């Protein structure tokens, strides 16, 4: 399946009109992180229990994510050593001890700046698929015209 078909399929089954459920979680340092503080400023890709390789790819794609105002929020078990791993401007590692946020969002979900769930994924999606979906969003196209990137 090519990238455009995969994006279209994820959007078609995503429940685009749904609003992202609010949540507040802590990072490894005990600092609170609230979804509501990021809506309107950033798009969020919430990913439950991503692999170390996935997190490494997010770190490598930091610039591409920044350009698109896209933050990856990785939900990890409270005892997971990766919580203490390096974060970037576009990667946030949070402890979801009870797994309640992961239950709400599933394996992965893309949240738009408007707070709407734009796509749900059965597994952490390849970043090129998410970036393609974001680039097709009307708000992102407007940003590109205004910012020139």
């Amino acid at each position: 399946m090519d990238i455009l078909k995969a994006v279209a399929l994820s959007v078609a089954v995503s429940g685009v009109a749904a609003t992202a459920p609010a949540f507040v979680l802590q990072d490894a340092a005990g600092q609170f992180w609230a979804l509501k503080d990021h809506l309107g400023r950033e798009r969020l890709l919430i990913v439950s229990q991503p692999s170390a390789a996935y997190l490494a790819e997010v770190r490598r794609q930091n610039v591409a994510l920044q350009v698109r105002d896209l933050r990856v929020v990785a939900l990890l078990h409270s005892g997971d050593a990766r919580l203490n791993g390096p974060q970037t401007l576009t990667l946030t590692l949070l402890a979801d001890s009870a797994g309640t946020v992961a239950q709400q969002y599933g394996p992965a979900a893309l949240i738009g700046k408007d707070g709407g769930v734009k796509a749900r994924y059965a597994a952490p999606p390849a970043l090129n698929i998410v970036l393609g979906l974001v680039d097709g969003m009307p708000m992102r196209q407007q940003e590109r015209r205004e910012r020139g990137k």
Side-chain angles (χ1 to χ4, degrees), residues 5 14 20 32 46 49 54 58 60 72 94 98 132 142 144:
K5 286 181 183 175
S14 69
F32 288 99
I46 299 173
Q49 301 302 315
Y54 193 85
V58 170
R60 279 192 294 277
V72 176
L94 299 175
Q142 179 181 344
R144 288 179 79 178

Side-chain angles (χ1 to χ4, degrees), residues 46-62:
I46 299 173
V47 182
S48 179
Q49 301 302 315
S51 68
Y54 193 85
L55 294 177
E57 181 61 21
V58 170
R59 290 180 186 105
R60 279 192 294 277
Q61 294 283 340
N62 188 52

Side-chain angles (χ1 to χ4, degrees), residues 16-49:
V16 171
T19 300
F23 67 87
V24 176
L25 291 174
Q26 288 182 303
D27 63 15
Q31 299 296 311
F32 288 99
W33 192 94
L35 175 73
K36 68 179 176 108
D37 294 340
H38 298 269
L39 297 178
R41 295 186 341 217
E42 298 178 301
R43 296 169 183 90
L44 303 166
L45 176 62
I46 299 173
V47 182
S48 179
Q49 301 302 315

Side-chain angles (χ1 to χ4, degrees), residues 88-133:
T88 65
L89 292 174
T90 60
L91 175 62
T92 300
L93 305 171
L94 299 175
D96 185 18
S97 304
T100 54
V101 176
Q103 288 175 354
Q104 291 175 326
Y105 285 93
L110 177 63
I111 313 301
K113 288 184 177 181
D114 63 0
V117 177
K118 304 303 182 187
R120 291 188 184 273
Y121 303 92
L127 290 178
N128 64 333
I129 292 193
V130 176
L131 295 175
L133 177 58

Side-chain angles (χ1 to χ4, degrees), residues 53-75:
Y54 193 85
L55 294 177
E57 181 61 21
V58 170
R59 290 180 186 105
R60 279 192 294 277
Q61 294 283 340
N62 188 52
V63 172
L65 297 169
Q66 283 182 49
V67 166
R68 292 164 177 88
D69 300 332
L70 180 60
R71 171 178 301 280
V72 176
V73 179
L75 305 175

